[in-house]
Amino acid sequence: MSETRNSDYKLPKIIFISVVRDFKMYDRLVRKNVYNSGADFIAFDNRNENIGIASRYNFFLDGYDFAEPAWFVFCHEDWEAKESIASKLNSLSTGILYGPIGAKSIVTEKKIYRYSVGECWQSDRNGENLKKEKGLLKKGIVDTFDCQCLIVHSTLIGKYSLRFDPSFSFDLYVEDFCINSFEKYGIVSKVLPMKCRHWSHGKLTDRFYSSKSYLEGKYSGIYTTTAGGAMIGNTGTKKVISFKHSIFNHPEKYWIMLTIKRK
């Protein structure tokens, strides 16, 4: 583990925590990113011991001095902020989880409506196949965030002793964190609109589906994730309908969302 800090850093204090196997990419996108200037950086070297990300994150939390308030940004080595986060965090509630992109579900008697919230450019690690992932809404409450980035204040972690489930090695650890925080403590997750890029499209492997099966056994509710648009929980015979950012995809979606919200 290595740590760097800029002595001229002003409030709010921000710490980026990442698990790293490609330090060249990490330095370019995270540690030396001009938009992250002034922050602290914790980098776990995972080149030799490929320890699960949740366990690495917990190691940081277990050793942190919570007497010093700070915003924690848990992010991938290939997640790139394209604007400063510091100016956005000053006005945010410390009692909410934040992330740049997430997914939301609306459960009714016979149907489940799901949609993404937030925006993020995505590409291959070599920069090819660049595509903008654009959610139905730019901001709002979500069920879960994508694992690429989770932002949470230290006081919230300290108050409830929040931790990541180490059973999730490289998939769904942020989704579990969001659901656990909500079901146990009523902590909501909210998309923080910001310009960013994830240098990975990601792949759903057998490991993902194994983790998903374990996750579904932990909680009683129904949730969704950005990863493949997967549903989490027992959906039974309910029909799942995905709302997308297009006038040709269920044009009645805004009316449905407004009506359900009013109820």
Side-chain angles (χ1 to χ4, degrees):
M1 180 178 70
S2 61
E3 177 178 0
T4 58
R5 182 174 185 180
N6 185 329
S7 60
D8 295 328
Y9 187 57
K10 306 297 182 182
L11 292 176
K13 178 180 173 66
I14 302 174
I15 304 174
F16 285 80
I17 306 99
S18 304
V19 178
V20 183
R21 290 178 60 84
D22 185 341
F23 274 88
K24 183 177 180 181
M25 171 169 276
Y26 168 73
D27 283 339
R28 177 169 61 88
L29 302 180
V30 183
R31 184 152 50 190
K32 296 182 179 180
N33 185 337
V34 65
Y35 294 114
N36 300 340
S37 177
D40 292 7
F41 300 89
I42 300 294
F44 289 97
D45 189 342
N46 230 23
R47 289 173 294 186
N48 295 321
E49 293 181 286
N50 200 28
I51 297 173
I53 293 177
S55 295
R56 292 291 200 186
Y57 285 172
N58 284 342
F59 185 83
F60 163 77
L61 293 175
D62 290 341
Y64 188 75
D65 180 2
F66 286 90
E68 184 174 18
W71 285 99
F72 300 152
V73 181
F74 296 97
C75 70
H76 288 180
E77 66 183 14
D78 56 9
W79 183 76
E80 179 185 17
K82 303 291 286 186
E83 63 176 316
S84 173
I85 298 177
S87 59
K88 295 176 176 291
L89 297 181
N90 268 324
S91 60
L92 297 183
S93 167
T94 58
I96 295 175
L97 306 180
Y98 299 96
I101 188 166
K104 170 71 175 176
S105 64
I106 300 175
V107 182
T108 66
E109 183 178 353
K110 296 182 178 180
K111 297 178 181 179
I112 301 173
Y113 304 101
R114 68 161 310 280
Y115 54 92
S116 296
V117 181
E119 297 180 357
C120 179
W121 286 95
Q122 287 193 245
S123 70
D124 296 335
R125 289 178 75 87
N126 62 6
E128 296 180 354
N129 298 314
L130 181 63
K131 178 183 178 181
K132 187 175 187 179
E133 298 295 337
K134 190 173 184 180
L136 179 62
L137 303 176
K138 290 185 177 181
K139 60 181 179 179
I141 301 296
V142 293
D143 295 352
T144 65
F145 298 118
D146 189 278
C147 285
Q148 62 186 268
C149 179
L150 166 68
I151 305 170
V152 56
H153 200 268
S154 63
T155 55
L156 190 62
I157 296 284
K159 181 178 181 179
Y160 297 105
S161 299
L162 299 176
R163 291 297 186 271
F164 295 86
D165 185 339
S167 298
F168 298 98
S169 55
F170 299 100
D171 299 291
L172 297 171
Y173 49 89
V174 166
E175 284 88 341
D176 174 75
F177 190 91
C178 293
I179 296 171
N180 180 70
S181 298
F182 177 72
E183 286 209 355
K184 285 189 175 180
Y185 309 109
I187 301 169
V188 299
S189 299
K190 188 174 184 180
V191 163
L192 174 65
M194 65 172 297
K195 298 175 183 177
C196 62
R197 178 173 173 177
H198 188 208
W199 291 67
S200 172
H201 286 289
K203 295 180 181 179
L204 301 186
T205 64
D206 290 341
R207 184 187 64 201
F208 172 86
Y209 291 105
S210 176
S211 295
K212 179 176 176 293
S213 178
Y214 169 65
L215 178 60
E216 290 178 321
K218 293 183 64 178
Y219 304 107
S220 60
I222 295 175
Y223 306 91
T224 187
T225 170
T226 59
M231 296 302 305
I232 299 168
N234 182 14
T235 59
T237 59
K238 297 179 187 292
K239 182 179 180 181
V240 179
I241 299 174
S242 293
F243 289 157
K244 298 182 180 180
H245 197 278
S246 168
I247 60 173
F248 303 106
N249 173 258
H250 297 283
E252 76 282 11
K253 57 182 170 272
Y254 297 106
W255 171 250
I256 291 174
M257 292 169 63
L258 181 62
T259 303
I260 293 175
K261 185 175 181 181
R262 283 179 174 173
K263 288 182 181 180

